[in-house]
Every structure is written in structure tokens, then in C-alpha cells.
Amino acid sequence: MELPETGLPPPPEFPEPTSTEAYIIPTLGLHQGTFVFSYLSTFLSYITPYDLPVELLRDAFHTRVSFLQLILEALKVESGYICLIAIFFLISLIPLCYTIAWGCSKPSDDDLNAGPTVDAIIQAEELSLEDSLKCRRGFLSLTLQIIILLLIASVIAMFVTNEQIASAIDQTPEVVRSSLADVETFLRDTEQQISFVIFEGLATTVDRIRSDLEEIDKLLGEPIQHHLSLFTGIEIIFETIMDISTSSNNLSRRIFLLQETLARAAKISYEAEYRLDELQIQLSVLQRQCSYRDRPLCDTLKIKNFEESGLIDKIRKLQSDPVLSKLLSMGEAGKNSTMKLLTQELTVARSIFRNYRTELKNSTLAPKENIERHLEELSNSTLLSTNTLSTTMNNLVKEVTRTANFSDSFFDYYREIGDGLWLTGLTATVCTLLVTFILLGALSCGCCHSDNKAGITLIFGAIVICFASVALSGFAMVEMLMGAHGHVFICHPLYDEPNYTVLGKLIDKPGLIYPVEPQNGIIDELMKAADPNRIGSMNVPLSKAINECERNKGAYSTFQLQNLLNVSSIMDYRNYPGLDRAINDLTASEAPFMGFTTQIQAILEDMLTDSDINLTAFRMDLTQLSPDKDVVTFIDQLQRVSAQIQDVATSSRMTTLGSRAKRLQVSLLHPLEQLRGDIVYHLTALELQLSPWATQVNKSLIHLRNAQSYLDAESAEVCHNKSDQFRARLKGHFEAYRNHTNVILSDRCASCRPLFDIFDAMRMLFCHHIMDPMNGLWFSSFLCLFLWAVATPVSLMMSSTYRRLEMLSGKLQHSDSNYYGRGGASRSESQRHSHHHQQQQQHHHHHPQHESSSHWSTQRSVSVHIAAVKESCTDDEIIADDDEGGQDGEVKYIEYEYIELMFDADDPTKYRECLI
């Protein structure tokens, strides 16, 4: 809910929790490194049954089936594994079968022994066979070298993977302990962060509410004042009335000057009236003293007194006018003067309006104390509501601790199994390496021209391969079953993103490993075990929880912790009737604004009534009256009459009377005339000031009446509306607290990512650090089996080749030295030297261009025995005949003919024979 804008600084922000960084799993580096044999999981997926027999696994887990039944049922769905095992077994039998077949079908050596006849052509074939056998030996030697290199690579792979498995097994206790420690850290951190968000958010909300209550004069009183001032203009009206007071002072000053002038004029008029009366008496005496002849002229003389002119009456009437007296007293500084009363009432009204904020703050002390008391109760209630969460988290921490203690006793047995696996793998690796060394030793003997030893070593190596192959195949089968089934039954469910179907069936819902199917999944079961008194359920699928944690979602929303801690209920002020009533009781009163300008209106009305005076009539009357002019006219008349009077005495008396009248006019009537003009001026000025003043008073009175009418009619509604806005502001703090808390708990608080990191680390450890090297171990063993299956026939063929070369070489040496006797041998040797010399000459003569040619153009001389004494005789008979001839004294000679084979165009298939 959006809070209304005010001139106050923004409220404090809600604090956000800080997650701990003390997790161990990310520091172990389980994701580092290259997992070479991960590709085997793809291969295993092709031979894996599409749907795992989860029911069979359930029965096996609960020991409802015997081991034999388990094997028979497994055979029905593991045809791929059976085929793979059969292949391993058949390949392991290849060396034995071939060795037996080779031993049974070994050819006799008669073809290489001396026959009854030693034909020349046969001897040439033996020489050609020797070259062929040497070529075969080279090819087989190269093939065996390649096989040995591949075997060495496979042995290295076996050694590396075996060490990786051993290292991962040794690392497993540390990873498990670190995982359990991280789970404890996560539970404590989650409870701490959620409590921090709730309590710190509530504390911030309470501080905001208390701050608003302290600033109620600014948040509630000032808006009311501003609204009423804006719609009534009361402040401007007050300022206007103050201007009226100033104008009234000026008006009173003008009336005061008028009164002073009237007083002076009245004083002079009194004396002038007396003197004018004396002058009139003297004129009457003079007229009686006039002669009969001058009497008509004397009777024409006449002077007006003040009573006839009415000047004194006008001055007196104006001087005693009550309106002027009121207007004069209006600006006086007296205690009961109108301006004094107006100023006092205006000050009181302005104070009431301007001090409304302070009055409001003082009048709402009781409701504010009531709200403070209920806020304290809300804080205590919230603390009690979070005890369920704290208890559940503490119980879960205890369960994790018990699991850690149990795992410590299990790890000893686990290490023993790991040591046995490592020792078995090391033994298989060493045995494979020894077999490889036997083959390598045989190859070395062949390179050192120890053909007899090489052949025997190769036969020994083949025999060893026969037995080692069977043993290694058993080892590979066991490793394959462990690695492949580990991948199928564990790794595949763990990496079956994002549905985790098999994992859900096994441990979540239907939860086949449980004796009784859980109603809402494993998470609800764990929570129920931690808090048996919990009422609500947490229907959170395991796959959803894993995916949400992978996306760094908050634990509160992921695991539906609102069933443990109903934050919405805690943060809803409507669930606390006392607090809601206390807030609703907080309201602003409109009483100070009701009729608070009545006295000012009455004063203004009186002022407006007092201003109703007709100064124009006074001014017009005074303008028409002029005693000075009357006296001046009388003096002129007296002078004209005096000039016409014949009687000197009368004329003299008239002159004297004129002089007296002149002195009266100069000394009294002329100043009185000036004062009359001043009175007319002041009346005119007063009239000019009084009219705008009365208009201003009238306007101010009208505005004040309208303002007061608006206040009487609308101030109650304005106060009610502004009070509603202020109460909405207070309640809006609870709404903001609830919205902020929901957002924080859903997204940025107590992220369950560490749980996914633990889950990912465990499957990474088992699948990539253990299962992948285990699959690599049996795959390397399979390569060794395959290479042994290839190396066995190669070794036996090399052994046969070595034997035949050795026998052929021995026969050729025997033929040259022993078959034909000493004489024949000497003759033969001399013939060979002669033949060699002739061959070199013919070679240099016929083929000078081939002095440095390739092996195809190399000259060869083949000595062939083409004539013997008896074609059918044997070597022994030839020797016997030779002995007999020697006894008879007859020397018999054996003739040898040598044929030289000349090659044409460096082509060994094109040759011609030359008899030497």
C-alpha cells in the first residue's frame, strides 16, 4: 500500500538479512578436473532398461525376495549387461582357445630337415623362405610393439582410474561430513534469516508507526490545516482583518484631527458670536441715533449673527455626532476599544487555527498510548509464533548430528571396502603390467637376436595370458557390474533433470523404499519426524524442491515453511482486534474550528454599522456657511452708507463701528473661516477614507462568514478523511511489512542453493569421482582383454617364426659345411671365390649404372647344386662313396655349376640365368 506523501523524510528501509558464507562444499573443488570416462555413461544408457524395476528394488530393499530370486528377476531386464558379460567372457577365452589350437596343430619340422635328396631348387626355396620369415618377423614385431604400447596405455589408465577411485573413497568421509556440516549451517542460517526478517521487519514497522504517532501534528494536523486554509482562505482573511485594523487607526487619526479642528472652531465661534452680538447691539444703537433723514439708510444696515447662520449649531452637531465618536474611539488604545477587542479576538482565532496541530497532538495522547501497548503485545505474540520454527529447525539439526555420528561408525567399514577394491584393482593392474613386461621382454630378446629365448618367452607369455585373461575378465565383469549398476541405479536417477522420476518413485512419492507409502513425500516425512505436533502438511515434491534450490529460490517458499510459521497471519493487524480498534480510535476533532470567528464577525458588523454616516451633508452645510463673508459684506455696506450719511456724528460713529467690525473680521472671523475650510477638508478626507474602509470591512466580513460556514459544514468531513488517511498510513506500514517480508522470504532470504550444492556435490562425488573411474577401470580392463586376445596369436606366430628361422639357419649352415665333405667343401669354397670374382667383373661390365642402387637392384649370386653323382643318394651315401673312393685310391670329384641370376630393370620377377 502506497503511503501518502508528506514533507517528512522517508521512513527507514526494511533491513535485509545477510547469508553466511561458511559453507565447506564449494571449497572442496569437486567440479574441478576432467572426467575422461564420462562418455561411457552414454554407452551404458543404451544397454540400460528403459524403466527401472522400482518394485523389484523395493522388495529387495525390504528383503522380501531372496538373493536367487533377485538375480533371476534382474536377468529378465538386464539383457544388455548379460550380453556384455558374455562378450567379456568370450574374449577372455580367445587366448586359451587359440593357444590350445596352436599347440594341437603345430607343424612338424621335416620340411626343414635334410631329405633324401638335396635338390638345387629346394635349396633356393629355402633361401627365399628365410627372407619371407624375416619379413613376417618384422611385421609381427611391429604389431606386437603397437599392442604393447596400447597395453601400457591401458595399464596406465587402469592405474590412474584405480587411484582416482581410491582417492574419491578416501575423500568420501570428508565430503559427507562437510555436507552434514553444511546442512546444519543451512538450517541454522535459515532459521536465523527468517527470524531476522520477521523480527527486524516488525521492529522497523513499529518504529515507523511510533515515528508517525510522534509526528501526528505534521502528518495529520498540518494536512487538515492546509486543506482548510486552502479552501477557506482563512489565513488571508486574518491578514485582511489586520489591514482593517491599520486602516481603522488611520481613520481614527483623521477623525481625531477633525475633532481638534472642530474644537478650535467652536472656541473661536463662541467668542466671535459674543463679539458679533456686541457689534449687532452697537449697530442697533447706531440706527436709533441716526437722524430722521438718514434713518432709511441706517435701517439698510444689517449683520447676521451666528444663530442666524447656524454655524455654531453645525459645529456643535458635528462635534457631538455619536458615529464620529465611535469611529474616533475605534482606533484608541483604550482597554475596551474596538480595535483592541478586534485584535484580541483575531489573535485568539489565529492561535486556535495555527495551534491546531499542537492541540491535536495533545488530544491524541491516550489513543497513542493504547496503540503503543498493543504494538508491544504484537511483538510478544510474534516471538511466541516463531517458537515452532525454531523448535523444528533445532530438531532437524539434532537429526543431522545423529546422522553424522552414525556415519562415522559406517566409514570404517566403508574404508575397508575401499581398501579392498583398491588392492584388487592394484593387483589386476600389476598382473596386467607383468604380462605386458613378459611380452616386452620377448620383444627385447628378439631385438637382441636371441631368437630361441624370444620364442620361448612368447610362448610363456601366451600361456600366462590364457590364465590372466580369465582372471582379468572376472575382475572386469565385477567392476562393470558395480560401475554400470551404480550409474543406472544411482547416477541416472540423480541426473534425471528436471523431473527426477525414478528418484521420486524411490524416496519421495510413492516412496517405494518406505514400508508405508508417505502421504506427501519425503520432505513432509522429515518435517513430521522433526515436529510430530505440526498440524499442516508440506506437499512439496522432491523434484520441485531440487529445481527450486538450483534456481536459488528461498527455503521459505520452496519447503512451504508457512505451515510452520504463518507470516501472513502474524503480519495482519486485523488478526489483532485490540490493535485495530486502537488505530481506529485515533481521530482528529473538528471542534476547534466550529464558530471560532463569531466574535470577530460581531466586531466587524459593529464597525460596519458605525461607518454608516452621511458626511456629505455636513460638508455641504459647512460649505454654504461663511460668517467671515457676511462681516466683510457688512463692512462694505457700512462704508457705503457712511459715505451717504450727511450727519457727521452718525458718519463718525459708523466709521468707528466699521473699524470694530474690521477688527472682528480680522481677529476672529478670518481664522474661523480658515478653520471651517479645514473642517471641510477633514470631512472630505474622512469621507474618502471611510468608504473604502467600510467596503473592506464588508468584504472581510463576507469572506469570514463564508469561511466559517465552510468550516462549520465541512471541517468534520475533512478531519474524518484526513484521519482515515493517517490511519491508512499506519496500517500501510503493516502492509508494506507484509509485502516486503513475503518478497524477501520468497526470493532473497535463506536461499536453499546450499542444499542443491550438497546434492550436486554428492552425486558429483559418486558418479564422476567414483563411478566414472570405475567404468574407466573396467573399460581399460576390457581393452587389455581385447589386446591380449590379439597379442596371443601374434605372440605364438612370432614364436613359430623364430623357431623356423632358427632351424632354417641351422640347415643352411649344415648344408654348406657337412653335406659334401672336406674336398668338396674346399672345392666349393674355391669355386665360390672364383665365381664371386667373375660375378663382380660381369657386374661391373654389364651394369655400371647400378653401382649404388636400391635393395631391388642388389646383385645376388645363387649357388645351386645341379649335378650329383647319384640323384637319389643321400648325404650319408655321398660321404660314404667319398670315403670308398679315397680307399681305392681313386679321387672322385663332384662337379658344381653356378648359375647367376641377372635381374632386368630392377624387377625381381624378371631375370635370366647365366652359367658360370
Side-chain angles (χ1 to χ4, degrees), residues 675-725:
L675 290 174
R676 184 189 66 82
D678 291 341
I679 292 172
V680 172
Y681 170 75
H682 286 306
L683 288 174
T684 304
L686 181 60
E687 187 177 8
L688 293 176
Q689 286 183 347
L690 186 61
S691 179
W693 178 81
T695 303
Q696 186 178 10
V697 171
N698 188 31
K699 288 182 179 179
S700 298
L701 181 58
I702 293 173
H703 291 162
L704 188 60
R705 285 174 179 172
N706 293 335
Q708 187 61 54
S709 298
Y710 182 85
L711 291 174
D712 295 340
E714 302 293 336
S715 60
E717 184 178 357
V718 171
C719 291
H720 178 73
N721 293 336
K722 296 299 180 182
S723 299
D724 284 343
Q725 292 180 6

Side-chain angles (χ1 to χ4, degrees), residues 437 791 840:
F437 282 161
Q840 288 181 350

